[in-house]
Amino acid sequence: MVLNVDNPPQSIPASVQLAKVEILAKLYIDGNPAEISDTTISQFCDWLWEEFQSLSLNLEFSWYERYSSVAEMFADIKQNHLWVSAENYDTTLGLNPIYNFIFQAVHDDDHYLTNSDFSLEGEIATYNATAKRAPSLDVQKILYSESVLRSAAYLFLGHSPIAKIVFP
C-alpha cells in the first residue's frame, strides 16, 4: 500500500493552494517528533543504500552549494552530475550524515524523473514516486514528513523549519 497524495488540478485557486500549504506546514511545525523504532531506522537506511547504488549520477557533496532553480538542477542531472547540499536535509533520525546526503540525492533525482519543481505540488509528485519504492508504510511516513510536510513548512515560513520527523 502506498500512502498517496494526489496533485491538485492546476485550476485550483491560489488561495486554496496557500491554504493547503498552511495546513500541511502546521502539521509539521506543531507536530511532535515521531518515535521511530530502531528496526524502522535500519530498514530506512538499508533502503536508502540500495537506492543510492542505483543512481547513475556523479554526486558532489557540499555544505553550501544549492540550486537556485529546478532548471539549474535538471541541467546538471542531464550531465550526470548533482550537487548535494548538507543544509537541505538535516534530519534528526540520528543517522550517519551520509544517509542525509543520500536521501537528498534520491529525492532530487526523483524531482528530475517526475519533472517536478520545488512547489508543494512538485514535492508531492516527487514523494509519490519515491514512496512507490519504499519497503514499508513507516518508511513512506518518514518520506512524507521530509518531502511534503517539511517542504510545506519551508514554503509557509520562508526558511527551513527545525528538522524533525512527524507522523500526523
PDB file of all heavy atoms in Angstrom, residues 103-115:
ATOM      1  N   PHE A 103      19.723  10.612   0.940  1.00  0.00           N
ATOM      2  CA  PHE A 103      18.302  10.919   0.844  1.00  0.00           C
ATOM      3  C   PHE A 103      18.066  12.101  -0.090  1.00  0.00           C
ATOM      4  O   PHE A 103      17.190  12.064  -0.944  1.00  0.00           O
ATOM      5  CB  PHE A 103      17.702  11.198   2.226  1.00  0.00           C
ATOM      6  CG  PHE A 103      16.242  11.531   2.156  1.00  0.00           C
ATOM      7  CD1 PHE A 103      15.307  10.540   1.879  1.00  0.00           C
ATOM      8  CD2 PHE A 103      15.800  12.818   2.340  1.00  0.00           C
ATOM      9  CE1 PHE A 103      13.959  10.836   1.794  1.00  0.00           C
ATOM     10  CE2 PHE A 103      14.454  13.128   2.256  1.00  0.00           C
ATOM     11  CZ  PHE A 103      13.530  12.141   1.984  1.00  0.00           C
ATOM     12  N   GLN A 104      18.867  13.147   0.057  1.00  0.00           N
ATOM     13  CA  GLN A 104      18.689  14.310  -0.816  1.00  0.00           C
ATOM     14  C   GLN A 104      18.946  13.939  -2.269  1.00  0.00           C
ATOM     15  O   GLN A 104      18.219  14.372  -3.163  1.00  0.00           O
ATOM     16  CB  GLN A 104      19.596  15.461  -0.414  1.00  0.00           C
ATOM     17  CG  GLN A 104      19.348  16.679  -1.291  1.00  0.00           C
ATOM     18  CD  GLN A 104      20.299  17.807  -1.039  1.00  0.00           C
ATOM     19  OE1 GLN A 104      21.075  17.788  -0.103  1.00  0.00           O
ATOM     20  NE2 GLN A 104      20.251  18.805  -1.895  1.00  0.00           N
ATOM     21  N   ALA A 105      19.979  13.149  -2.530  1.00  0.00           N
ATOM     22  CA  ALA A 105      20.283  12.754  -3.911  1.00  0.00           C
ATOM     23  C   ALA A 105      19.128  11.952  -4.516  1.00  0.00           C
ATOM     24  O   ALA A 105      18.724  12.205  -5.657  1.00  0.00           O
ATOM     25  CB  ALA A 105      21.578  11.939  -3.950  1.00  0.00           C
ATOM     26  N   VAL A 106      18.584  11.017  -3.761  1.00  0.00           N
ATOM     27  CA  VAL A 106      17.453  10.216  -4.240  1.00  0.00           C
ATOM     28  C   VAL A 106      16.255  11.123  -4.489  1.00  0.00           C
ATOM     29  O   VAL A 106      15.593  11.038  -5.526  1.00  0.00           O
ATOM     30  CB  VAL A 106      17.113   9.092  -3.231  1.00  0.00           C
ATOM     31  CG1 VAL A 106      15.785   8.432  -3.552  1.00  0.00           C
ATOM     32  CG2 VAL A 106      18.240   8.064  -3.184  1.00  0.00           C
ATOM     33  N   HIS A 107      16.002  12.012  -3.546  1.00  0.00           N
ATOM     34  CA  HIS A 107      14.869  12.939  -3.666  1.00  0.00           C
ATOM     35  C   HIS A 107      15.018  13.835  -4.904  1.00  0.00           C
ATOM     36  O   HIS A 107      14.086  13.983  -5.689  1.00  0.00           O
ATOM     37  CB  HIS A 107      14.770  13.794  -2.393  1.00  0.00           C
ATOM     38  CG  HIS A 107      13.681  14.805  -2.426  1.00  0.00           C
ATOM     39  ND1 HIS A 107      12.365  14.495  -2.175  1.00  0.00           N
ATOM     40  CD2 HIS A 107      13.714  16.138  -2.679  1.00  0.00           C
ATOM     41  CE1 HIS A 107      11.634  15.588  -2.275  1.00  0.00           C
ATOM     42  NE2 HIS A 107      12.422  16.605  -2.581  1.00  0.00           N
ATOM     43  N   ASP A 108      16.207  14.415  -5.091  1.00  0.00           N
ATOM     44  CA  ASP A 108      16.423  15.301  -6.234  1.00  0.00           C
ATOM     45  C   ASP A 108      16.340  14.542  -7.556  1.00  0.00           C
ATOM     46  O   ASP A 108      15.821  15.068  -8.547  1.00  0.00           O
ATOM     47  CB  ASP A 108      17.762  16.027  -6.109  1.00  0.00           C
ATOM     48  CG  ASP A 108      17.753  17.100  -5.030  1.00  0.00           C
ATOM     49  OD1 ASP A 108      16.659  17.437  -4.520  1.00  0.00           O
ATOM     50  OD2 ASP A 108      18.833  17.606  -4.689  1.00  0.00           O
ATOM     51  N   ASP A 109      16.836  13.319  -7.583  1.00  0.00           N
ATOM     52  CA  ASP A 109      16.726  12.517  -8.795  1.00  0.00           C
ATOM     53  C   ASP A 109      15.249  12.247  -9.114  1.00  0.00           C
ATOM     54  O   ASP A 109      14.851  12.263 -10.282  1.00  0.00           O
ATOM     55  CB  ASP A 109      17.509  11.207  -8.644  1.00  0.00           C
ATOM     56  CG  ASP A 109      17.621  10.444  -9.949  1.00  0.00           C
ATOM     57  OD1 ASP A 109      18.048  11.043 -10.971  1.00  0.00           O
ATOM     58  OD2 ASP A 109      17.285   9.243  -9.968  1.00  0.00           O
ATOM     59  N   ASP A 110      14.438  12.022  -8.088  1.00  0.00           N
ATOM     60  CA  ASP A 110      13.003  11.822  -8.324  1.00  0.00           C
ATOM     61  C   ASP A 110      12.327  13.105  -8.805  1.00  0.00           C
ATOM     62  O   ASP A 110      11.368  13.042  -9.559  1.00  0.00           O
ATOM     63  CB  ASP A 110      12.313  11.254  -7.089  1.00  0.00           C
ATOM     64  CG  ASP A 110      12.501   9.755  -6.969  1.00  0.00           C
ATOM     65  OD1 ASP A 110      12.781   9.105  -8.003  1.00  0.00           O
ATOM     66  OD2 ASP A 110      12.364   9.214  -5.855  1.00  0.00           O
ATOM     67  N   HIS A 111      12.826  14.269  -8.384  1.00  0.00           N
ATOM     68  CA  HIS A 111      12.320  15.520  -8.968  1.00  0.00           C
ATOM     69  C   HIS A 111      12.539  15.483 -10.479  1.00  0.00           C
ATOM     70  O   HIS A 111      11.640  15.825 -11.259  1.00  0.00           O
ATOM     71  CB  HIS A 111      13.060  16.744  -8.399  1.00  0.00           C
ATOM     72  CG  HIS A 111      12.417  17.363  -7.216  1.00  0.00           C
ATOM     73  ND1 HIS A 111      11.262  18.100  -7.295  1.00  0.00           N
ATOM     74  CD2 HIS A 111      12.782  17.380  -5.920  1.00  0.00           C
ATOM     75  CE1 HIS A 111      10.941  18.540  -6.101  1.00  0.00           C
ATOM     76  NE2 HIS A 111      11.848  18.109  -5.232  1.00  0.00           N
ATOM     77  N   TYR A 112      13.721  15.071 -10.878  1.00  0.00           N
ATOM     78  CA  TYR A 112      14.059  15.022 -12.300  1.00  0.00           C
ATOM     79  C   TYR A 112      13.198  13.991 -13.035  1.00  0.00           C
ATOM     80  O   TYR A 112      12.631  14.279 -14.090  1.00  0.00           O
ATOM     81  CB  TYR A 112      15.549  14.696 -12.462  1.00  0.00           C
ATOM     82  CG  TYR A 112      15.992  14.599 -13.890  1.00  0.00           C
ATOM     83  CD1 TYR A 112      16.138  15.732 -14.674  1.00  0.00           C
ATOM     84  CD2 TYR A 112      16.275  13.360 -14.459  1.00  0.00           C
ATOM     85  CE1 TYR A 112      16.550  15.653 -15.995  1.00  0.00           C
ATOM     86  CE2 TYR A 112      16.684  13.263 -15.776  1.00  0.00           C
ATOM     87  CZ  TYR A 112      16.820  14.412 -16.539  1.00  0.00           C
ATOM     88  OH  TYR A 112      17.229  14.315 -17.850  1.00  0.00           O
ATOM     89  N   LEU A 113      13.088  12.789 -12.455  1.00  0.00           N
ATOM     90  CA  LEU A 113      12.342  11.713 -13.104  1.00  0.00           C
ATOM     91  C   LEU A 113      10.855  12.031 -13.247  1.00  0.00           C
ATOM     92  O   LEU A 113      10.203  11.556 -14.184  1.00  0.00           O
ATOM     93  CB  LEU A 113      12.533  10.400 -12.346  1.00  0.00           C
ATOM     94  CG  LEU A 113      13.959   9.843 -12.344  1.00  0.00           C
ATOM     95  CD1 LEU A 113      14.062   8.642 -11.418  1.00  0.00           C
ATOM     96  CD2 LEU A 113      14.414   9.498 -13.751  1.00  0.00           C
ATOM     97  N   THR A 114      10.319  12.835 -12.336  1.00  0.00           N
ATOM     98  CA  THR A 114       8.898  13.215 -12.402  1.00  0.00           C
ATOM     99  C   THR A 114       8.708  14.594 -13.027  1.00  0.00           C
ATOM    100  O   THR A 114       7.574  15.058 -13.132  1.00  0.00           O
ATOM    101  CB  THR A 114       8.263  13.216 -10.993  1.00  0.00           C
ATOM    102  OG1 THR A 114       8.954  14.144 -10.156  1.00  0.00           O
ATOM    103  CG2 THR A 114       8.278  11.821 -10.386  1.00  0.00           C
ATOM    104  N   ASN A 115       9.816  15.231 -13.416  1.00  0.00           N
ATOM    105  CA  ASN A 115       9.768  16.582 -13.994  1.00  0.00           C
ATOM    106  C   ASN A 115       8.993  17.533 -13.070  1.00  0.00           C
ATOM    107  O   ASN A 115       8.130  18.282 -13.509  1.00  0.00           O
ATOM    108  CB  ASN A 115       9.162  16.564 -15.392  1.00  0.00           C
ATOM    109  CG  ASN A 115       9.424  17.851 -16.142  1.00  0.00           C
ATOM    110  OD1 ASN A 115      10.449  18.495 -15.951  1.00  0.00           O
ATOM    111  ND2 ASN A 115       8.484  18.246 -16.991  1.00  0.00           N
TER     112      ASN A 115
END
